[in-house]
Amino acid sequence: NAGVMQNPRHLVRRRGQEARLRCSPMKGHSHVYWYRQLPEEGLKFMVYLQKENIIDESGMPKERFSAEFPKEGPSILRIQQVVRGDSAAYFCASSLTSGRDYNEQFFGPGTRLTVL
Amino acid sequence: SQQGEEDPQALSIQEGENATMNCSYKTSINNLQWYRQNSGRGLVHLILIRSNEREKHSGRLRVTLDTSKKSSSLLITASRAADTASYFCATVRAAGNKLTFGGGTRVLVKP
């Protein structure tokens, strides 16, 4: 059973371009979470999705950022018109269940975005 | 603001010594988890302790949770150079799913 997969592992964009980050959860997992980690800091929650639904986007910046988790295919975190401050490591995690039967979140290796 | 705050921010010890780090949080939680992150890598889940548990062991790891003080500690016994990493605590609130991370403790184990 493959773990959480993220691609690309490294992404370089110039200011104003778009960044698309992909996450394939573990097999059988229907809950996906995106986190952002700035250098020398802990991870900060961005968004929680289930298939075709955004459950909690309280950590998403109001502009330029969007996320989706379609019925088929990976979850996508999209950043439009990137700025230097978007440079960070973006981690995806998946879990089997949620709520009262909270299950462990398994993390992918991350995508390191560098904005020039 | 950060839910979890680790203390100390950095720790340097000799191989074979024990490493202890603490985490404080602000709100009621469902569980608290500890993760390890090697430089430039993803996170590895170490241990989860639920709000009704007080202590948990896993190999050389011992985690305690004091919900009255809203704090947790992670003890790594008989440390090895391979334990060199950043360690993060993360909480899950009673009615939520997302992990709220602290700033981490950077541990250096010198051979």
Side-chain angles (χ1 to χ4, degrees):
Chain A
N1 186 9
V4 177
M5 296 170 65
Q6 289 187 250
N7 68 83
R9 295 290 306 276
H10 299 273
L11 182 62
V12 179
R13 285 286 178 267
R14 295 190 182 281
R15 280 179 297 169
Q17 291 184 320
E18 178 180 287
R20 292 172 72 88
L21 288 62
R22 295 175 188 77
C23 168
S24 296
M26 286 183 70
K27 187 176 180 181
H29 287 193
S30 59
H31 302 260
V32 166
Y33 312 79
W34 285 94
Y35 296 84
R36 176 166 64 178
Q37 184 179 33
L38 296 172
E40 306 299 322
E41 292 188 11
L43 281 70
K44 289 202 170 73
F45 168 80
M46 299 182 75
V47 62
Y48 161 40
L49 309 103
Q50 293 180 28
K51 283 285 186 181
E52 300 184 278
N53 286 306
I54 296 175
I55 307 302
D56 180 354
E57 56 181 348
S58 58
M60 286 279 270
K62 294 286 186 283
E63 297 176 349
R64 303 187 297 107
F65 284 72
S66 63
E68 63 177 12
F69 188 17
K71 188 176 179 182
E72 302 290 338
S75 175
I76 306 285
L77 179 67
R78 182 181 178 207
I79 311 172
Q80 295 178 289
Q81 299 176 323
V82 296
V83 300
R84 289 215 174 111
D86 296 334
S87 295
Y90 292 83
F91 290 94
C92 169
S94 73
S95 69
L96 188 58
T97 61
S98 64
R100 281 190 187 177
D101 299 321
Y102 179 84
N103 271 20
E104 173 188 343
Q105 292 183 24
F106 293 83
F107 280 80
T111 293
R112 277 150 187 84
L113 172 65
T114 301
V115 180
L116 301 176
Chain B
S1 63
Q2 287 282 9
Q3 165 76 322
E5 296 294 339
E6 280 96 335
D7 166 50
Q9 290 188 329
L11 184 59
S12 180
I13 56 174
Q14 291 294 138
E15 206 165 25
E17 293 180 340
N18 295 343
T20 300
M21 59 209 86
N22 304 294
C23 167
S24 61
Y25 56 92
K26 297 188 173 88
T27 65
S28 60
I29 61 171
N30 175 287
N31 65 77
L32 184 145
Q33 302 176 42
W34 285 90
Y35 287 83
R36 184 184 73 223
Q37 184 181 36
N38 291 85
S39 180
R41 307 288 291 275
L43 276 78
V44 174
H45 184 267
L46 295 176
I47 199 162
L48 180 154
I49 186 165
R50 298 191 183 276
S51 59
N52 60 354
E53 297 176 311
R54 291 296 165 258
E55 188 171 311
K56 212 161 180 182
H57 296 255
S58 176
R60 292 183 296 112
L61 304 179
R62 173 177 168 256
V63 168
T64 63
L65 179 64
D66 186 337
T67 52
S68 67
K69 294 181 180 177
K70 290 187 169 57
S71 68
S72 173
S73 68
L74 171 66
L75 167 68
I76 306 172
T77 59
S79 63
R80 305 166 182 168
D83 295 329
T84 294
S86 290
Y87 292 81
F88 295 93
C89 71
T91 55
V92 177
R93 293 175 70 168
N97 303 95
K98 65 188 183 188
L99 290 164
T100 302
F101 285 85
T105 294
R106 287 178 295 283
V107 175
L108 172 64
V109 181
K110 292 179 279 189

